[in-house]
Amino acid sequence: MESAPAVIVAIDGPSGTGKSSTSKAVAAQLGLSYLDTGAQYRAITWWMVTNGIDIADPSAIAAAAGKPEIISGTDPNAPTISVDGTDVAVPIRTQEVTSKVSAVSAVPEVRARITELQRSYAASAEKGIVVEGRDIGTTVLPDADLKVFLTASPEARAARRSGELKGSDVHATREALIKRDAADSSRKTSPLAKADDAVEVDTTELTLQQVIECVVTLVEEKRAGK
Ligand code: DC
């Protein structure tokens, strides 16, 4: 039997839509690689903070953008992320990094560097890859075989995020999330946006399992040439 050709799946959307859980599960179920591009932006932000770069100064961020070496492990069952050989999976999820990542990821030199890295991962994935982010379908991989844009109401997104960050205040989470989405959607270089040819899936009333099944079906339909 001939093996299926590599399939490239782009999954975009704001935070709290179940993007990471869905992307990992779809990749695992279909035997594809998985790339968390938000983790890469968080990793470069962590490096900037750790190295004392002034986050309020885009030219300082731009000048340093090429320095850190970011490596993503693309096994959906055990994704990893390291910067200059240090495992940063835990520190990139701190409140400090989360509050600064939009400013760092808005700098064009940062986006150019990380976009190039993402394209090289997609090109080298033998069986194909699920890439999740904000600008994958519009900018990073405009020729992806399937583009999915996940949405959900702000209330549902805040409730999911608060559940992940156990014990956090839903109201504060909702405000922080709306602020970050607004920054990510309004930046000049490759903002969070739905590609014209993306399939939009509103996850507000769906369970995670239903969203996974929906995306797996979409990939299978693409593979079958429907
Ligand atoms: O998915 P996440 O919350 O871990 O992403 C963190 C931040 O990274 C998000 O606020 C915006 C930025 N990001 C981006 O600009 N482009 C991407 N493709 C992915 C994430």
Side-chain angles (χ1 to χ4, degrees):
M1 197 179 105
E2 263 182 55
S3 58
V7 62
I8 306 271
V9 181
I11 302 190
D12 289 300
S15 46
T17 52
K19 220 171 1 131
S20 291
S21 308
T22 302
S23 302
K24 264 185 273 188
V26 168
Q29 215 163 305
L30 296 172
L32 307 177
S33 298
Y34 159 73
L35 184 62
D36 176 357
T37 65
Q40 296 177 318
Y41 284 103
R42 287 172 179 272
I44 198 165
T45 302
W46 173 86
W47 185 91
M48 298 276 169
V49 170
T50 307
N51 286 276
I53 309 293
D54 180 3
I55 303 298
D57 179 359
S59 63
I61 294 174
K67 292 186 181 169
E69 189 195 15
I70 297 167
I71 296 180
S72 297
T74 59
D75 175 352
N77 294 308
T80 58
I81 179 93
S82 71
V83 181
D84 296 337
T86 301
D87 175 359
V88 292
V90 172
I92 62 167
R93 304 287 163 193
T94 59
Q95 191 48 47
E96 185 180 22
V97 170
T98 301
S99 65
K100 292 179 171 156
V101 64
S102 292
V104 173
S105 59
V107 175
E109 286 79 359
V110 168
R111 299 208 73 80
R113 169 100 203 282
I114 302 288
T115 296
E116 190 190 344
L117 187 62
Q118 291 159 356
R119 287 181 179 149
S120 72
Y121 276 105
S124 61
E126 265 173 41
K127 292 186 176 159
I129 191 165
V130 178
V131 184
E132 64 144 304
R134 303 288 192 291
D135 62 336
I136 310 305
T138 53
T139 307
V140 179
L141 301 167
D143 297 329
D145 299 293
L146 173 68
K147 300 178 186 177
V148 177
F149 194 79
L150 298 182
T151 62
S153 69
E155 287 70 28
R157 298 197 287 118
R160 288 172 189 163
R161 263 293 141 99
S162 298
E164 280 169 21
L165 314 166
K166 289 178 191 59
S168 70
D169 170 358
V170 179
H171 181 72
T173 303
R174 182 177 185 276
E175 296 308 303
L177 199 130
I178 288 173
K179 204 172 141 201
R180 188 149 64 94
D181 288 346
D184 294 340
S185 304
S186 61
R187 66 168 176 245
K188 279 207 188 101
T189 312
S190 58
L192 161 65
K194 176 184 169 297
D196 290 340
D197 53 350
V199 180
E200 185 165 335
V201 179
D202 183 345
T203 69
T204 309
E205 305 288 341
L206 302 178
T207 64
L208 174 61
Q209 203 49 45
Q210 287 172 321
V211 182
I212 294 165
E213 275 165 29
C214 170
V215 177
V216 166
T217 303
L218 288 169
V219 177
E220 284 171 344
E221 283 176 359
K222 275 282 167 191
R223 275 181 156 167
K226 283 183 199 160

